[in-house]
Amino acid sequence: MSPLLAPDLPEIERELDGLLQKNADARILAMRSPSRRTWPEYVERGGRRFRIAWCPSELEVREHLDDAEGNDSGGLIVLTPLDAASLGDDVVARFPRARLEQSDRWSALRGTFRASKVDPRLRAHGWLADVLLEHSPVGGYPPVAGGALDLESAWRAVLEDVLGIADGRTDTAALLDWALDASNLDRFNRLSEQARNAVAERVSSEGGPAAGMVLAAAAAGRGADALPIALACGVVFAEANPDQVLREAAIRLEPLVGGGQVNPEAARILAESGSRVLDRLTRESSGAAAAIESRAASILTVIRAESFAALSQALQIGLDARMRDAAVAILRAVETRLTDDVETAWRLTRRADRHDRAGNNRTRVDRLLMAVRLLSWLTGRPNAASWRSISEASAAYFSDGAFVDRARHAIRSGDPLPDVSATYSRLGEAVTAMREDENRAFAVTLREWNSGGSVGDTPLPVERILSSVVAPMAKEAPVLLLVLDGLSLAVWRALAETIVGFGWSELVPTQGPIIAAAVLPSVTAVSRTSLLCGSLRQGDQAVERAGFATNGSLVAASRSGYPPHLFHKADIGAGPELGEEIRAAVADPQRRIVGVVHNAVDAQLSGSDQVDLAWTAEGLRQVAALLHVARSAGRTLIVTSDHGHILDEATVQLSGDSGSRWRSPGTPASDQEVALAGGRILSPSGEKAIVAAWSERVRFGARRSGYHGGASPQEVLVPVAVYTAGAAPGGWSEAPSPEPSWWRGTSEDVSQLGVATVVVPQPSRRRQAVSRQADLFAQERAEDTRRPLQTPVEMAWLDDLFVSETFSAQRRLAGRGAPQDDQVRGLISALAARGGRMTRIGLSQALGMPAFRIAGLISAARRVLNLDQAQVLKEEADDVVLNELLLKAQFHLGDGR
């Protein structure tokens, strides 16, 4: 039988309410209670006051009944430990329905849930009823559906209301979240041992062994460590075949989760759930997350597994360990220059990049990626540059050197881990030594080019940019010329990645990208003025404005009454709003040519050398606004610079009387300088001969953050980048990804594939663009930008593919989503030439297609090539994979017939 329970106030009130519902005039309620509880003196109901009377004897019951029956104003609630037999029939007969109400656990349970019946299965779980009654909230539990309290509803109430587990969820992640609250753990530990064991068994059966480990830790008094323990499991049980040290650590971990042997698979699930909880906690409360991580690190030390921290996918110490491992591998490869060591460095770097905390340490991980990229370049380069002309030297710097310098700039900041910083330092020294050799070779070709009349278009002298690029483009569409003073190709590589985010597509002429060369010395007063005037000039902003407005080629491309207009720093406005005059000019399509000079990069060279800037379009004040207005106005965007720069890295000052990186030719050039005379030499004072530093290690002026004026490719070569938000004009196409293969850690050499540009359908303009460009791009006048495709390898079977009935049927099924045949041909040709596998970026370069369009091409090609779901073409991580044998078999081609 169920034991008699002393009714609490809510139960008394429920009994009274039930009585009054049946008989609104009832005045007496009698209930049995084995003990006296702290009840109030009165209960109010319907404007009537019922006095609660504790009556331990028959005499007291009689006295209270007599008093109540003689008083018409109120009612009485009798509570007595006596049963009906002890009271006598005459007393019981005076109670409503001649009954002495009594409360056992089941009737009490029905009452607290407002249920009319209880699931018979609950009878086997008396402790469950006791727990629910002991922790019954004020006003009882929410009423059960249908008036029946079943076993599942009772369990849900225990988990949600008694233990505080949100939504009664028993999955591992929910329990780890629950264990973060000390009050929840206190609720669990206050349960009887029987109840704790039953809850743990229930949780394990529903949520699995990993969920059971959380409650096992709580039962062992380690509930507050549940999440740190989970994170420690991510190290101890990370490997299927662990080291002996980790096996011993697993044994030392057992007392923290109840003392039994830990199931490795359950521990891995616990670790994975712990990673998710820590990730959320990191976003919501970094301080709490740091405390959890610190505790997890302490547990690893206690169980002697701290030396395996790199196995952790979640802990910061795991990322740090992975970065150390990668740095050690990079340093080894710098010394050995062995391919296997380079591949190991890439593998370990990618492992760090995949770590859960990599996103919170993006700058650090990006530096590590830059370091391993430099390693690839360093180990893949010949010992000395052997350029025969400045065209070769400029192209090499554009395609390789600028990326090298971008990466060098990144690792200058080092890392909080001393050993990682030491690796960067040693790597930087090795790379700088090789770059110095290249700078020397570049200076030689520069001298020869200058003395020979600066013939050719690679590099393009900056004073020809207006006539060769801006004016021809302005005949196609209105142009915004954005001159970023001091912009080096290395900085441009970082900045260019952010411009496409504003809805722009980069274009390149058919014969390849444009590289420009500054006037020498590469200083603003000469090179920028020459750029904006279209001829060798020196001067100030007034000279630049006048020269720009009256330049013959620009005026010829402009409309009457709307001459070319140039704006300088003061015109842009300090923000946050763009200056009204410049906004109106850029927005007006009648004004075909608008130029804007922005000084942020050059100004930074005079700033602090203790600040590392992340160059983005949004980070340059008002540039984002300019790009938005220009795009809305349908302008073509041309970005260039007057000169580049080098950064100071322990430079040595030499004697000089002119600029930071150049001097007058009073004394012969040293081994770190080059003498330049005639040609495009024009000093601010009008001299036609200078001595310029080619070495990054020297300067002539006071120490600054950076310098320009010298003869290194970093200072001389500048970008000429063309962007559109519409269709490409004749002779131009969308630019493929520019990154060299070593930047991606691959050996893809797409220059030897011979695969031509794949034609990407362009959105139509309101006026069909017909090329009218002259000079630099005259040879590219054509009504169609397509170039003949070349097959990189002999694949006679490829022709059979496009005439096969199966392929034709696949094209019909794909409908309008089918790619063009020449797109498929180019794709298959490029992949087959590389053994069937290429990175997306490598494929972009091989096809001459922007990287962002590759995904669409692959998706379309799969519709026609993946017959009957066969994976002829598929993607694996960053790679695109072609199964040539399966392709032949599916379409009955060549050997597959």
Side-chain angles (χ1 to χ4, degrees), residues 742-803:
W742 55 263
W743 191 261
R744 306 185 297 276
T746 72
S747 57
E748 295 171 334
D749 184 5
V750 300
S751 64
Q752 303 302 317
L753 293 183
V755 180
T757 300
V758 169
V759 177
V760 178
Q762 297 284 345
S764 61
R765 288 183 182 267
R766 284 176 291 183
R767 177 175 63 86
Q768 181 63 36
V770 178
S771 177
R772 296 192 296 270
Q773 298 176 21
D775 193 13
L776 180 61
F777 311 115
Q779 70 272 28
E780 297 302 332
R781 293 176 185 167
E783 294 182 359
D784 196 329
T785 61
R786 300 174 185 234
R787 283 171 272 177
L789 287 160
Q790 302 172 33
T791 303
V793 291
E794 291 298 326
M795 294 185 295
W797 55 266
L798 189 53
D799 293 329
D800 295 338
L801 171 67
F802 299 102
V803 297

Side-chain angles (χ1 to χ4, degrees), residues 65-79:
L65 287 174
D66 291 343
D67 183 60
E69 290 169 353
N71 185 356
D72 295 334
S73 62
L76 174 67
I77 300 174
V78 173
L79 292 164

Side-chain angles (χ1 to χ4, degrees), residues 381-427:
R381 296 288 291 171
N383 292 329
S386 56
W387 301 315
R388 293 168 297 180
S389 67
I390 195 168
S391 293
E392 289 185 3
S394 299
Y397 186 76
F398 182 87
S399 61
D400 263 21
F403 287 95
V404 173
D405 288 338
R406 177 187 175 188
R408 290 168 63 207
H409 295 169
I411 67 171
R412 286 178 4 129
S413 299
D415 190 84
L417 302 175
D419 39 357
V420 176
S421 286
T423 292
Y424 293 168
S425 179
R426 175 67 188 92
L427 173 65

Side-chain angles (χ1 to χ4, degrees), residues 304-620:
R304 303 175 198 172
E306 69 275 14
S307 61
F308 290 84
L311 294 174
S312 172
Q313 182 64 25
L315 294 172
Q316 180 67 41
I317 59 171
L319 174 61
D320 289 346
R322 292 185 183 190
M323 292 190 67
R324 288 192 187 94
D325 290 347
V328 168
I330 290 171
L331 188 59
R332 175 178 174 81
V334 169
E335 303 301 332
T336 67
R337 309 293 174 95
L338 296 177
T339 301
D340 287 350
D341 289 340
V342 175
E343 290 176 353
T344 298
W346 268 101
R347 177 176 56 80
L348 293 176
T349 299
R350 289 183 175 119
R351 184 175 70 147
D353 190 38
R354 291 193 298 268
H355 195 276
D356 289 352
R357 299 280 79 76
N360 304 103
N361 296 262
R362 193 67 262 166
T363 302
R364 293 181 61 208
V365 175
D366 282 347
R367 286 195 204 110
L368 184 66
L369 284 167
M370 292 296 188
V372 78
R373 287 164 174 165
L374 287 174
L375 172 67
S376 289
W377 176 83
L378 183 68
T379 55
R381 296 288 291 171
N383 292 329
S386 56
W387 301 315
R388 293 168 297 180
S389 67
I390 195 168
S391 293
E392 289 185 3
S394 299
Y397 186 76
F398 182 87
S399 61
D400 263 21
F403 287 95
V404 173
D405 288 338
R406 177 187 175 188
R408 290 168 63 207
H409 295 169
I411 67 171
R412 286 178 4 129
S413 299
D415 190 84
L417 302 175
D419 39 357
V420 176
S421 286
T423 292
Y424 293 168
S425 179
R426 175 67 188 92
L427 173 65
E429 291 170 0
V431 172
T432 298
M434 187 169 285
R435 285 290 294 108
E436 282 285 274
D437 290 340
E438 293 188 344
N439 288 352
R440 182 196 299 271
F442 178 84
V444 171
T445 64
L446 178 64
R447 181 180 60 202
E448 295 172 350
W449 180 62
N450 180 71
S451 62
S454 304
V455 177
D457 298 326
T458 304
L460 178 71
V462 292
E463 62 271 23
R464 286 176 50 195
I465 291 176
L466 296 186
S467 60
S468 298
V469 183
V470 178
M473 276 294 179
K475 295 175 182 178
E476 304 289 342
V479 166
L480 170 64
L481 173 65
L482 180 59
V483 179
L484 298 176
D485 195 330
L487 177 70
S488 66
L489 276 168
V491 170
W492 171 245
R493 287 304 183 197
L495 187 61
E497 294 177 357
T498 68
I499 288 185
V500 295
F502 290 88
W504 296 92
S505 297
E506 185 176 2
L507 304 177
V508 291
T510 306
Q511 73 271 25
I514 309 170
I515 313 163
V519 178
L520 300 165
S522 50
V523 294
T524 299
V526 173
S527 197
R528 194 177 82 186
T529 305
S530 298
L531 161 65
L532 294 172
C533 292
S535 61
L536 288 179
R537 300 278 296 276
Q538 72 248 43
D540 55 15
Q541 292 185 9
V543 174
E544 292 171 354
R545 277 194 294 269
F548 192 80
T550 59
N551 179 271
S553 59
L554 297 188
V555 170
S558 298
R559 293 180 177 174
S560 177
Y562 296 91
H565 197 156
L566 180 66
F567 295 91
H568 286 90
K569 176 181 177 181
D571 305 311
I572 298 175
E577 293 182 329
L578 189 62
E580 185 55 39
E581 184 181 2
I582 189 173
R583 177 185 291 277
V586 175
D588 186 357
Q590 296 296 321
R591 193 173 298 278
R592 304 294 288 182
I593 302 170
V594 177
V596 177
V597 177
H598 199 288
N599 298 86
V601 180
D602 194 56
Q604 180 58 31
L605 302 180
S606 302
S608 172
D609 61 357
Q610 294 183 313
V611 178
D612 291 314
L613 296 179
W615 294 105
T616 66
E618 287 186 336
L620 301 180

Side-chain angles (χ1 to χ4, degrees), residues 231-291:
L231 297 170
C233 286
V235 174
V236 178
F237 299 95
E239 298 179 329
N241 297 305
D243 184 277
Q244 181 61 32
V245 174
L246 291 178
R247 294 181 183 181
E248 294 172 359
I251 296 173
R252 297 188 187 98
L253 189 68
E254 291 173 359
L256 304 184
V257 288
Q261 184 176 3
V262 178
N263 181 307
E265 186 58 34
R268 293 186 190 102
I269 295 173
L270 179 65
E272 195 277 331
S273 298
S275 296
R276 296 202 308 272
V277 173
L278 180 65
D279 187 59
R280 177 193 58 76
L281 199 60
T282 300
R283 294 192 304 271
E284 296 176 359
S285 176
S286 58

Side-chain angles (χ1 to χ4, degrees), residues 176 179 185 217 221-231 256 292 295-296 299:
L176 288 171
L185 297 172
R222 295 284 190 167
D225 282 339
L227 182 53
I229 290 169
L231 297 170
L256 304 184
I292 292 294
R295 180 57 187 148
I299 290 174

